[in-house]
Amino acid sequence: MARARGGDRKAFSELVRRHQTAVYRVCYRVLGDPEDARDAAQEAFVRCFTKLESFEGRSSFKTWMLRLAINVSLNERKARARPLPPELREPPADPSGPEDDLLRKEAAERVHRALRLLQPNHRAAVVLRDLEGMSHAEVAEVLGVPEATARSWAYRGRQRLKDLVT
């Protein structure tokens, strides 16, 4: 990070390489469209590059980067003011057995259809906590809210998901 802030483009490229998958997943889960997610992820990294000097190191780079990605994705959704596509698909995964793939895909589709029905703040908290595996403290940092609020949003989002999926 220090080298990237100093203008080392190779160091910045390494940061992009390390975090591009997580950034894309977050953008995809907020936007629901692979092309929109690619655009949002790219925009998040552009903003990251232009704002490197503002990174104060109070959080991990990943936390800071995912906050940028969430903000870009939520702004994109708001700007487009269109509903998510009817089917939310999981990003392409490595193939395994056909039965396993089918079961996994069906379950993922149910969850992702339900995710689109959550309030944006609840969806973001669930995506970061449960799908990206972040701690409540990290989720709070990414979303810019107190930890108790992040816990509440994740809990409410999970409860609503449970109601919608079962």
Side-chain angles (χ1 to χ4, degrees):
M1 182 58 194
R3 289 191 351 248
R5 286 179 74 177
D8 184 339
R9 290 185 184 266
K10 285 184 181 181
F12 183 74
S13 293
E14 179 61 21
L15 288 173
V16 171
R17 187 192 64 74
R18 286 183 189 173
H19 300 285
Q20 66 187 358
T21 302
V23 168
Y24 172 78
R25 277 194 318 256
V26 166
C27 293
Y28 177 81
R29 288 176 172 142
V30 170
L31 294 167
D33 178 78
E35 193 63 35
D36 290 346
R38 279 190 286 280
D39 290 345
Q42 182 175 8
E43 176 63 23
F45 281 112
V46 167
R47 287 189 189 177
C48 170
F49 185 76
T50 62
K51 295 180 179 218
L52 276 175
E53 291 302 317
S54 69
F55 178 71
E56 298 173 356
R58 288 183 285 169
S59 63
S60 72
F61 175 79
K62 181 180 179 180
T63 299
W64 184 74
M65 187 64 231
L66 290 180
R67 181 175 186 158
L68 281 174
I70 287 280
N71 288 343
V72 166
S73 298
L74 290 175
N75 289 341
E76 180 69 21
R77 279 209 51 211
K78 205 178 292 183
R80 291 183 185 218
R82 66 175 187 191
L84 287 170
E87 294 291 327
L88 228 58
R89 297 178 315 270
E90 185 71 15
D94 292 332
S96 58
E99 256 183 58
D100 292 338
D101 286 346
L102 181 60
L103 291 173
R104 203 171 18 258
K105 184 176 180 178
E106 288 173 354
E109 285 176 2
R110 279 194 312 277
V111 170
H112 287 287
R113 277 194 303 269
L115 264 175
R116 74 181 188 160
L117 300 174
L118 299 180
Q119 293 178 21
N121 53 356
H122 294 175
R123 179 175 45 253
V126 168
V127 165
L128 294 171
R129 173 73 178 130
D130 299 324
L131 301 178
E132 292 301 316
M134 298 179 92
S135 70
H136 285 109
E138 291 171 320
V139 172
E141 227 175 298
V142 168
L143 299 178
V145 298
E147 188 173 339
T149 301
R151 283 180 187 276
S152 173
W153 287 355
Y155 174 80
R156 289 179 186 165
R158 268 188 236 105
Q159 292 304 307
R160 180 77 171 120
L161 271 177
K162 190 165 87 172
D163 293 343
L164 292 168
V165 173
T166 55

